[in-house]
Amino acid sequence: MTLKLPPVDRPGLIATRRDIHQHPELGFEEMRTATLIADRLRGFDYTVTPGIGKTGVVALKKHEGRDGRCVLLRADMDALPVEEANDVPYRSRHSGKMHACGHDGHVAIGLEVARRLAPVSLDGSVKFAFQPAEEASNGAQAMIADGVLDAPRVDAAFGMHLWNDLPVGTIGVTSGTIMASVDQFEIVIHGRGGHAAAPHQAVDSVLVAAQLISALQGLVSRRRDPLEHAVVSVTEVHAGRAFNVIPARADLRGTVRTFGGAFFNAAPRLIEETAQGIAAAFGAQVEVHYHRLSAPLINDERLTALMRDVAADLVGSANVRQGVRTMGGEDMAYFLERVPGCFAFVGSGPVNGRASPHHSPTFDIDEESLVIGAELLSRTAVRYLES
Ligand code: NI
C-alpha cells in the first residue's frame, strides 16, 4: 500500500459504537442513527445523500483516478426486537430493542473508515452505503432501487460482519457462497372444528400440522442431494384455544436456507406438494405462501483474494480463516449479485471462553474487533483502487 492513512481513532470508534448501542432502532426506523451518520459524513466533507432506501445514507468522495473506478463500502445499521440483558454502562436505552447482531459496530467502523479515507487522495471514488433493515432482508433492495449502485457506477463492493463465532484477532475470508438464501413460508391448514371427544365429526388441523411438520423434515433428509447445503425449520405453530375443542385452523411458519442449487429451485414446489399431500390424506385444505427474502451471498474469487491479502497483512495469515460459512442470511447478497466483491467475518468473540450468540439478549463484542474491522475495510478500499 503506497498511501498513508491516518491512524485508527480507537477511543472515538468505541465511543461511536457505544452511543449507537444505547440508541438501537429497528429496520426502516433508523432516524437518529441516519442523522448521526449524515452529520459526521458531512463533517468529513463527503457528498451525503440521505433517504436512499427510506432511512439509508449514501456518501461519496469523488476522485477521477486512473480509470474512474468506484468502490462501495457497505454497513448495515438496524437493531433487533430483543430486550438487552447485559448490565453494561452502554446498555440499550430503548426497551425491547437491542443491537444484538453487531450492526452498531458496523456503523462505527463505516464512519471511522470514512474519516480515514477523507483526507487522502485515492486512485478512484469511494462510496459508502449505510443500509437500513438488514434483519428484515429488504434494506439492500430498497437502496439498490433508489440507485445506490449508480452515478457513479459502482465497480466493486466490500463489507464485513463482526462475528462472535470467531475469536477477536481472526478474520474469515472465503471465496464463493458463504451465506445462505433466506426463504419464508406460511402454511394455513383449514380443517373442521369440533368436539375433542368426537374427532370423527371434525377434521383435526392440529394433527395435520403435526404430520406436516414431520413430513417437512423429510425434504432435507430425503428429497435433497446430500451434497447440497439446506435447512428447513418450522418455527411458528399456532392453533387452538381450548382443551376440549378441535380447532378448525392451524398456522405454521418457517424458513428454508440453502446455498442455491437444485434444492433452492425446488423448495417452493416441494413444500407446496408436501402440504397439499398431507392435508389431502386427512381431508383438510391448505394454503401455502412462499416468499424469497434473500439470495445466497457469493464472494468473488479475485476480490476475495485481494481482501484475504489485506487481512493477512493485518492479523497474520495464520489468523485468516478460510471456509467460514453460515446458513444465516445477509442482504449484502443483493449488492454482490450485481457487482463483484467480498464480505468478510471479523472475529469479535473472546479469545478464551464462549461468546454470546448473535441475536441473543446477552450478545456483546470484544471492541478490539472494531479496530480490526476499520483497518480491514480502509485498507481493502485503498488496495482495490490501487490494484
Ligand atoms: Ni447481522
Side-chain angles (χ1 to χ4, degrees), residues 27 76 78-81 100-101 103 131-138 161 293 331 359:
D76 47 6
D78 56 324
L80 284 157
C101 195
H103 302 185
Q131 185 209 298
E134 186 281 325
E135 299 293 355
S137 299
N138 49 7
H161 208 300
L293 297 186
D331 67 1
H359 295 204

Side-chain angles (χ1 to χ4, degrees), residues 35-160:
T35 303
L36 182 151
I37 290 167
D39 288 348
R40 292 275 186 94
L41 292 167
R42 284 193 193 98
F44 304 145
D45 231 12
Y46 282 83
T47 307
V48 177
T49 317
I52 301 294
K54 297 180 188 163
T55 44
V57 181
V58 175
L60 174 70
K61 186 136 273 188
K62 237 181 147 165
H63 300 276
E64 282 313 319
R66 280 167 300 176
D67 46 12
R69 279 185 301 167
C70 177
V71 62
L72 178 95
L73 300 176
R74 176 271 203 176
D76 47 6
M77 53 184 193
D78 56 324
L80 284 157
V82 171
E83 179 73 28
E84 176 151 23
N86 293 314
D87 184 16
V88 288
Y90 50 90
R91 190 178 187 278
S92 167
R93 291 184 188 174
H94 300 169
S95 76
K97 296 176 192 173
M98 178 188 176
H99 271 291
C101 195
H103 302 185
D104 49 346
H106 302 168
V107 171
I109 288 169
L111 287 173
E112 178 62 5
V113 174
R115 187 190 69 81
R116 297 179 79 207
L117 295 183
V120 298
S121 177
L122 293 166
D123 201 358
S125 299
V126 60
K127 197 188 278 192
F128 288 86
F130 287 90
Q131 185 209 298
E134 186 281 325
E135 299 293 355
S137 299
N138 49 7
Q141 287 167 298
M143 290 195 88
I144 291 166
D146 280 357
V148 67
L149 295 175
D150 316 317
R153 198 173 58 82
V154 169
D155 296 289
F158 296 94
M160 49 143 289

